[in-house]
């Protein structure tokens, strides 16, 4: 039985998060390589894994999300203009995910958490202090919603690459 060859994948159709919609086009090898790099970065981060109530720090999750910006910029710069910037391109999708999904989320939550962190008494661990924050459950809930959107993005990248997510 012949093995599926992702290098022969031509037309892709993906459903995207953050109100981006869907896209369909022929992905070339440069786009697939960039999509693979973005996929690996995304699926190996704490931000796309469920964060249970008693697990992890919110700060770590926000930092992981924030770090997707320089990584995505680097991948797109290295791939060059062939990855595109239009809606129907890996570059355009990646930019839209940053600007429509991550940027608004981080712009809201980063300063709020930072303000709370600055009030931590020396005798409390960062984890205990986070747990005492009245906004902690709401941030965790919104992180889970964002995680689901990022999972949709990861699925789209997997589709572009031709791997099973």
């Amino acid at each position: 039985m012949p093995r599926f060859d992702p290098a022969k994948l031509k037309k892709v159709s993906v459903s995207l998060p953050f109100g981006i919609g869907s896209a369909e086009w022929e992905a070339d090898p440069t786009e697939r390589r960039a999509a693979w790099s973005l996929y690996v970065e995304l699926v190996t981060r704490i931000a796309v894994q469920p964060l249970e109530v008693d697990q992890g720090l919110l700060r770590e999750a926000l930092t992981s999300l924030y770090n997707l910006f320089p990584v995505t910029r680097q991948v797109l710069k290295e791939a060059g203009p062939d990855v595109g910037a239009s809606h129907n391109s890996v570059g355009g999708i990646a930019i839209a995910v940053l600007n429509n999904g991550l940027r608004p989320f981080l712009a809201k939550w980063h300063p709020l958490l930072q303000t709370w962190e600055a009030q931590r008494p020396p005798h409390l661990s960062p984890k205990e202090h986070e747990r005492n924050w009245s906004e902690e459950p709401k941030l965790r809930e919104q992180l889970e919603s964002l995680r689901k959107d990022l999972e949709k993005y990861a699925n789209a990248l997997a589709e572009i690459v031709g791997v099973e997510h």
Side-chain angles (χ1 to χ4, degrees):
M1 174 181 249
R3 187 165 177 258
F4 175 72
D5 182 359
K8 296 196 185 298
L9 180 66
K10 291 290 182 200
K11 188 160 225 143
V12 292
S13 180
V14 294
S15 178
L16 302 162
F18 308 117
I20 301 168
S22 61
E24 184 175 291
W25 79 102
E26 288 188 19
D28 67 21
T30 302
E31 282 188 299
R32 286 197 298 277
R33 280 190 299 278
W36 174 251
S37 294
L38 293 168
Y39 173 79
V40 169
E41 285 292 336
L42 189 62
V43 299
T44 58
R45 293 184 176 273
I46 188 174
V48 295
Q49 304 302 321
L51 189 63
E52 302 300 325
V53 175
D54 294 331
Q55 292 180 337
L57 287 169
L58 295 171
R59 169 56 56 209
E60 289 175 7
L62 292 186
T63 298
S64 180
L65 289 169
Y66 175 79
N67 286 333
L68 285 170
F69 281 85
V71 164
T72 300
R73 287 183 195 115
Q74 189 62 36
V75 167
L76 296 181
K77 284 191 290 187
E78 286 176 4
D82 289 345
V83 295
S86 72
H87 177 76
N88 292 338
S89 70
V90 169
I93 291 167
I95 291 166
V97 165
L98 293 180
N99 290 333
N100 300 351
L102 293 178
R103 190 176 310 282
F105 182 88
L106 291 170
K108 173 184 178 179
W109 286 108
H110 177 74
L112 292 174
L113 180 56
Q114 195 172 38
T115 299
W116 177 252
E117 288 169 332
Q119 299 170 32
R120 181 173 67 87
H123 69 279
L124 279 185
S125 72
K127 178 71 179 157
E128 290 172 304
H129 188 61
E130 271 188 8
R131 236 180 291 150
N132 292 336
W133 188 31
S134 63
E135 295 292 316
E136 189 252 7
K138 186 175 181 181
L139 175 50
R140 283 185 180 271
E141 178 184 308
Q142 289 188 12
L143 263 172
E144 177 57 18
S145 177
L146 181 71
R147 184 195 68 77
K148 288 177 182 173
D149 282 335
L150 289 174
E151 189 170 49
K152 195 172 188 180
Y153 175 44
N155 288 338
L157 292 170
E159 183 73 26
I160 292 164
V161 174
V163 298
E164 203 171 304
H165 178 66

